[in-house]
Amino acid sequence: MPRPLHVSLVATADTQLAPLAGLYETLTAFPMLAQLEPDIPAQPFCLDLMGEDAGPLRGASGLPLGPLRACDTVARTDIAIVPLMMVDGPDWTRGRTPRLVDWLRRMHGRGATLCSTCTGVLLLAETGLLDGGDATIHWAFAPTFRRCHPRVGLRLDDVLVTGGPRQDFVMTGGVASWHDLALHLVTRHVGAEAAAALGRLLMLEWHGAGQAPFRGFLPARAHGDGVVLALQDWAAKHYMVARPVAEMTARTGLSPRAMERRFTRATGLSPLSYVQALRIEEAKRRLERSARPVEEIAAEIGYENTAYFRRLFKRLTRMTPAAYRRRFAIGNLRAGA
């Protein structure tokens, strides 16, 4: 029987305990699973909790965590995971745990797979090992990630992103995305059958549609361009008009091409993509909060062509309007449907 893989869960004062505990308890649930599924190994992983220093600490919510192993005492590990951290406000401050960053870099050099869930990638990216590649993170923290790590691309629609020559970086985005990381690691190192059985036992699920259905629209507004900011304010109130981009252009006195370049440079989106994002965000709210027909909602937000609206909605959210309503309608949530 092969030796258990050593998994190090990284803890800091920013760590949120629920995802860390979920990963720990999932990856140590195999003895119970093996009693139900005799063909599955009883102990494929061995885990420890580690931080910059030994001893207990309090996580982001104030709950105690520990005891921990000091990172300098761990000479080798197979898998290191940085779980979700509760960032204080909208911005991440680099350089707070330099010994952990150095340790992660050393472990990767010795063959370890480095993983993160949600905002844990903010710390993982401080190693510099993700530069030139892609990552994912909870969509609400994309702005601070881009400011801190401009050399790393973000794939926000994806819940799970792997990278590196050995697929030795695994990152998941979203608060509950630790499910996806746990199931990915079990699939990769134990097998798909074990992952399916563990998922059934613990009611874990893949977020197969990615983050797209969950993403809110957070338009860039700190760009310093007053003309574009005025256009954004106008679009927020008038996105449903028949020709919004033409109206926006007329308000600036610029040529259509000049307005588009200026708007895109400031916001990262073309005027048309910006209006589409506003419209779809409003459509999501109306689908969640009412039972009105999709055709009626499409017309209200500016789309007389319902077929076009359905295609656009699915492209931006990876779900049809009907599927989105079934998943997120407030009445369904209240009823536990």
Side-chain angles (χ1 to χ4, degrees):
M1 174 177 285
R3 69 171 179 85
L5 292 173
H6 185 256
V7 179
S8 298
L9 287 170
V10 176
T12 75
D14 299 309
T15 297
Q16 196 170 46
L17 267 63
L20 182 144
L23 284 164
Y24 189 97
E25 292 176 352
T26 296
L27 296 178
T28 57
F30 280 88
M32 177 172 58
L33 182 63
Q35 295 179 36
L36 305 173
E37 305 278 351
D39 294 334
I40 292 176
Q43 199 62 57
F45 304 104
C46 65
L47 280 79
D48 61 22
L49 304 179
M50 51 149 293
E52 277 205 313
D53 300 299
L57 57 77
R58 291 190 178 274
S61 63
L63 290 173
L65 174 64
L68 307 176
R69 291 183 64 183
C71 61
D72 293 338
T73 68
V74 181
R76 188 176 297 276
T77 193
D78 297 299
I79 302 168
I81 304 175
V82 186
L84 184 155
M85 297 181 293
M86 185 56 68
V87 177
D88 184 15
D91 291 316
W92 171 255
T93 302
R94 298 183 56 158
R96 290 180 293 177
T97 54
R99 285 189 290 128
L100 275 179
V101 172
D102 289 343
W103 180 85
L104 288 166
R105 198 180 291 116
R106 288 199 308 274
M107 294 303 100
H108 180 260
R110 295 172 186 174
T113 297
L114 304 186
C115 308
S116 65
T117 69
C118 197
T119 51
V121 73
L122 287 160
L123 180 60
L124 185 58
E126 288 193 31
T127 63
L129 296 169
L130 304 183
D131 289 358
D134 291 330
T136 188
I137 193 172
H138 189 288
W139 55 268
F141 295 95
T144 192
F145 185 92
R146 290 188 172 114
R147 284 192 293 270
C148 290
H149 305 294
R151 299 180 62 186
V152 183
L154 279 182
R155 287 162 44 189
L156 293 179
D157 282 347
D158 295 328
V159 162
L160 189 144
V161 171
T162 62
R166 298 177 283 111
Q167 298 298 292
D168 39 1
F169 304 115
V170 185
M171 298 142 288
T172 63
V175 174
S177 66
W178 66 266
H179 288 209
D180 300 84
L181 178 61
L183 292 171
H184 172 86
L185 293 174
V186 173
T187 300
R188 182 168 170 176
H189 296 291
V190 189
E193 296 82 1
L198 192 64
R200 289 194 303 272
L201 178 66
L202 302 181
M203 295 184 68
L204 305 176
E205 61 178 337
W206 295 99
H207 294 87
Q211 288 198 81
F214 301 90
R215 283 182 62 183
F217 181 44
L218 293 177
R221 295 181 61 87
H223 43 69
D225 189 324
V227 171
V228 172
L229 193 61
L231 291 178
Q232 290 177 273
D233 290 340
W234 181 88
K237 298 176 182 177
H238 301 92
Y239 57 82
M240 73 296 292
V241 302
R243 299 176 65 238
V245 175
E247 294 272 2
M248 291 162 71
T249 302
R251 297 178 72 83
T252 65
L254 299 170
S255 70
R257 181 172 295 183
M259 192 281 281
E260 181 169 353
R261 283 199 302 265
R262 184 166 179 174
F263 192 94
T264 304
R265 184 170 58 248
T267 67
L269 293 171
S270 71
L272 177 59
S273 296
Y274 192 93
V275 170
Q276 288 175 336
L278 288 173
R279 287 175 167 181
I280 296 303
E281 194 67 14
E282 180 59 25
K284 287 160 63 177
R285 281 193 287 269
R286 297 185 188 203
L287 288 165
E288 293 166 9
R289 300 171 188 180
S290 79
R292 298 202 315 282
V294 170
E295 294 80 4
E296 187 177 315
I297 291 174
E300 290 172 353
I301 64 169
Y303 294 113
E304 296 295 335
N305 186 331
T306 306
Y308 176 81
F309 164 73
R310 291 180 192 274
R311 291 195 300 272
L312 178 65
F313 190 96
K314 187 171 183 180
R315 176 166 66 82
L316 294 184
T317 69
R318 297 188 180 179
M319 300 179 82
T320 65
Y324 185 90
R325 171 174 273 161
R326 286 195 298 270
R327 177 71 181 269
F328 295 108
I330 292 173
N332 292 345
L333 296 175
R334 286 174 178 161

